[in-house]
Amino acid sequence: MNIRYSIKTIEEYITLILSFVIGLMRFRHKKIDFADISKIVIVKLDHLGDVILSTPAIANIRECFPNAHIALVVNPSSEQIARMIPYIDEIILYNARFFDRSGKARALDILKGIRFAKDMRQRRFDLIVDFRGSFASLLYALISDSKYRLDRGSYVIKRKFRRKKSPLIPLFQRGNMRGRSLFQRENMKGLSFGEREKNVYKGNELSDLHEANVSLNILAEAGFFINTRETFIDPDIVLQKMDSSFHWNDKIPNLSFSSRRESREKSERFPNSGFDDISNYIVVIHAGGPMLLKRWASERFVELIKRLLQDYAVKVFLVGGKDEYELAESILDGVGDDCVINLAGKMTLAELAYLLKQADLFIGNDSGPMHIASACGTNVVGLYGPTNPERFGPYGRNCIALRMEDNCPPCAQDKCKFRDYRCIDRISVDDVIGVIKVQNMT
């Protein structure tokens, strides 16, 4: 058994239980008076992709409180993404150890947690919305003088023990395929992988187990009207504050491309980029990810790109962090075509989001760039192995997730108990090509 994973799971359950207890102690019978709220804090101490999955809920909070001051508490690693969320007025940073990837957060840093809680109390928020907190945010909830609080812990505990059905997600969306209508199932029988259509997860038909739906359900149970059910970020919020001398060609010299996406915005930020010169279909591929078991084999990415270049007039961009440059370079060398460009490690998150906003299709592993693509309205094919797309899949009408492992349920662990087994590699190149064709992503 993976001891690190077990400890993390225990910590998460303890946090959920304590959050539930604090809710009973301090906020049990406080029904929200929407006219009584002018300052709201949303706590989402989570990884980058999970912060993006909270944007539908954040958008609905803003719609209910158009004039309120809304602050968002995130980990420093998610700050760049938080600055692209248009619904918030203030970003507050707290480095929670549970979600730290920098190695700077210390275990049991009690003084830091106390300082955070006291500082938050002085800000005098009327409503606390805790979508994913830590022990520090729980301490803040305990000592705060806030009038109202909504929290993930109370929702999850009630769902487990009361078996309470979601007020938001219709019955036909509970479960990926079992609850779908006959019409929906018949429409998916044309997939090239035959009887395995159950392994296709559509981003607008995910169950109430999905992280985005959990946040929406928390709001719906409190009386919020749910209007928005799409993730969204706007990179222009960040790019417009950059040096005006920045041009897209600084990143990709002598490159021009355009997108066939009907909703694509014209390039105003990069006037010298020549986005309308040619008509290539733009495909962005991310072959990396924080866990090796979540990465589809690089050889399959090479084969996939060759198939795309053979069948379509495409230009392919390989993206990722600085630590994924060599991986992207090996794929570039394997393809050996000038229509493939390696941008891994060369862009900020805002620049990556801008590229994805112009792209027609994103293909990649379960990671931050995949969720950025979905939030930019790009067609997404997410590749899944040890993680559960029913809970963490790309969210929205433009998204598809593939998980072809039938015999082993998602474990979310970074080490497989079966030696040298990689469930993500059950996905074939034909599976990916097939879903692209059936879903009309080309």
Side-chain angles (χ1 to χ4, degrees), residues 246 251 320-322 325 329 341-348 351:
F246 176 85
K251 298 292 179 180
K322 293 180 180 179
Y325 175 83
E329 194 69 12
I341 298 172
N342 182 7
L343 295 179
K346 298 180 181 180
M347 294 186 293
T348 66
E351 292 163 10

Side-chain angles (χ1 to χ4, degrees), residues 267-332:
S267 173
E268 296 178 356
R269 169 59 192 166
F270 307 116
N272 299 323
S273 61
F275 273 91
D276 298 311
D277 290 347
I278 58 176
S279 58
N280 288 84
Y281 193 85
I282 305 305
V283 179
V284 177
I285 288 179
H286 179 229
M291 291 168 47
L292 294 179
L293 286 182
K294 292 170 66 173
R295 296 183 179 185
W296 200 39
S298 59
E299 296 82 4
R300 299 200 179 181
F301 277 110
V302 171
E303 183 183 348
L304 173 65
I305 294 170
K306 287 181 177 179
R307 290 274 298 274
L308 292 173
L309 292 171
Q310 175 184 324
D311 296 341
Y312 307 102
V314 299
K315 189 173 288 291
V316 178
F317 295 89
L318 304 175
V319 300
K322 293 180 180 179
D323 58 336
E324 295 166 341
Y325 175 83
E326 294 299 329
L327 171 64
E329 194 69 12
S330 69
I331 294 173
L332 178 65

Side-chain angles (χ1 to χ4, degrees), residues 401-414:
L402 294 177
R403 186 177 189 272
M404 295 303 174
E405 175 56 68
D406 295 321
N407 300 319
C408 189
C411 64
Q413 298 197 35
D414 55 2

